[in-house]
């Protein structure tokens, strides 16, 4: 085999490797956009993660993924906020499809609605086992949610910031993330620090002084 032939083979292999890396990065981007969509209650972004005929088996709702979005996004909007984290994606490419396993952690901050100002922090952990399909763009074709663990604790609000403060997470389109690069133009409110630990201790102090 000539040097030229070797070079051509190397280029072909390199192009295949680059294409695989680009496909995997595009799939990871969908996973991370899904987390943003859920936490910001951005229904259009949520639906963009699935093909229109995609399905989602989410244990409390099983069926068409876009119908699932119409159900779950308003449900998430009923609580104060949530935080989805998606990690450890393992991606096996198979032509225009991919088998993907990732781990997820979610915290739901749920108002007690009993006048106490307290919240239930519901923490759940599990895995998404997905089949992605590339139809011009990679999107989820089928998702099977697996639950591994869960716990709930009752907590106070835990912040003295007003709900509309820029440093408090908001729903779409009001959250700071929708500023994009325009974040540079948001005025900075001077703040020289606060006694975070003292405030936390005061919230949890025994009212009897014991």
């Amino acid at each position: 085999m000539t040097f030229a032939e070797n070079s051509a083979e190397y280029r072909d292999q390199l192009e295949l490797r680059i294409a695989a890396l680009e496909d995997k990065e595009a799939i990871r981007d969908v996973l991370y956009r899904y987390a943003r969509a859920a936490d910001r209650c951005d229904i259009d972004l949520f639906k963009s993660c699935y093909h229109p005929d995609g399905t989602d088996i989410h244990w409390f709702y099983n069926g068409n993924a876009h119908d699932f979005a119409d159900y779950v996004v308003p449900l998430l909007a009923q609580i104060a906020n949530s935080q989805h984290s998606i990690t450890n994606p393992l991606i096996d490419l198979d032509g225009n499809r991919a088998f993907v396993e990732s781990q997820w952690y979610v915290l739901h901050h749920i108002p007690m609605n009993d006048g106490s100002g307290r919240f239930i922090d519901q923490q759940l952990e599990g895995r998404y086992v997905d089949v992605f399909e590339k139809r011009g763009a990679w999107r989820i074709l089928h998702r099977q949610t697996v639950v591994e663990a869960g716990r709930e604790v009752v907590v106070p609000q835990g912040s003295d910031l007003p709900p509309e403060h820029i440093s408090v997470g908001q729903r779409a389109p009001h959250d700071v993330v929708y500023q994009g690069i325009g974040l540079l133009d948001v005025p900075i409110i001077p703040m020289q620090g606060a006694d975070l630990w003292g405030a936390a201790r005061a919230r949890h102090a025994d009212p009897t002084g014991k």
Side-chain angles (χ1 to χ4, degrees), residues 176 179-188:
V176 68
Q179 296 282 348
I181 296 174
L183 183 61
L184 292 169
D185 300 321
V186 176
I188 296 175

Side-chain angles (χ1 to χ4, degrees), residues 50-56 63-66 97 133 135 140-142:
Y50 297 86
H51 288 296
D53 58 340
T55 48
D56 194 309
N64 177 268
H66 282 209
R97 287 186 171 174
E133 187 168 84
R135 302 177 190 172
I140 301 167
L141 180 62
H142 180 72

